[in-house]
Amino acid sequence: MTDLIHITCPVCQARNRIPADRLSASPTCGKCKAPLFPDTPFELDEARLNKHLKNDEVPLLVDFWAPWCGPCKMMGPMFADASRQMSPAVRFAKLDTEQHQSVGARFQIRGIPLIILFDKGREVARQTGVMNAGQIVSWVRQNLRG
């Protein structure tokens, strides 16, 4: 029997069950047919973040950023590149801390850009500052071991 992995759709927020051995087959949402592993990081707000943290069984890397932050803008394309390299092993999302200030307080965000790696809803690691795609990939792999 194949293990089923729970994934929240990044578009409609429906909870999906995907056979673990089918994650790399570009699965789509059973409700809205959107890709469960989009080509680029998807946007989150606090409610969506909570849903992903509660339901998802695939590690989630969130880039906490703001539109006025120059280093955040600089890291955006590199974060997207790392996303393409690591999918479907890790899902990548972005959260605008300017629009969702309560998240900044909740996660005690003191500087951006900040990436936080979550696994099964639990914070595994965080890193502040600009990183290139290779550094992001290496950092995620290092923190998911063990």
Side-chain angles (χ1 to χ4, degrees):
M1 187 171 138
T2 303
D3 288 334
L4 294 176
I5 304 291
H6 292 95
I7 305 278
T8 303
C9 176
V11 175
C12 75
Q13 304 305 297
R15 191 171 184 207
N16 290 265
R17 290 181 311 229
I18 307 296
D21 59 358
R22 303 268 306 138
L23 288 180
S24 60
S26 301
T28 57
C29 176
K31 183 176 178 185
C32 75
K33 307 301 180 209
L36 293 176
F37 295 92
D39 292 338
T40 58
F42 53 93
E43 292 289 332
L44 292 174
D45 58 22
E46 186 168 15
R48 288 175 177 231
L49 174 63
N50 291 341
K51 193 163 193 173
H52 284 270
L53 293 180
K54 179 181 175 197
N55 296 324
D56 291 2
E57 295 175 351
V58 171
L60 176 67
L61 183 64
V62 181
D63 175 15
F64 294 89
W65 70 287
W68 51 261
C69 170
C72 297
K73 290 180 189 177
M74 191 170 77
M75 191 169 97
M78 295 179 277
F79 190 74
D81 185 27
S83 173
R84 287 186 287 278
Q85 292 180 46
M86 300 206 74
S87 183
V90 178
R91 297 174 87 204
F92 282 61
K94 297 178 74 68
L95 191 141
D96 180 344
T97 58
E98 185 75 13
Q99 276 190 323
H100 308 287
Q101 294 182 10
S102 61
V103 175
R106 174 179 164 194
F107 289 101
Q108 300 177 344
I109 295 172
R110 303 285 181 251
I112 54 174
L114 168 70
I115 56 175
I116 300 180
L117 179 61
F118 298 94
D119 192 13
K120 295 180 180 71
R122 185 179 60 83
E123 181 178 328
V124 175
R126 64 173 56 203
Q127 179 69 44
T128 305
V130 175
M131 299 169 76
N132 67 36
Q135 291 169 321
I136 294 168
V137 169
S138 294
W139 181 83
V140 169
R141 287 185 177 142
Q142 175 184 354
N143 284 291
L144 284 178
R145 280 191 218 126

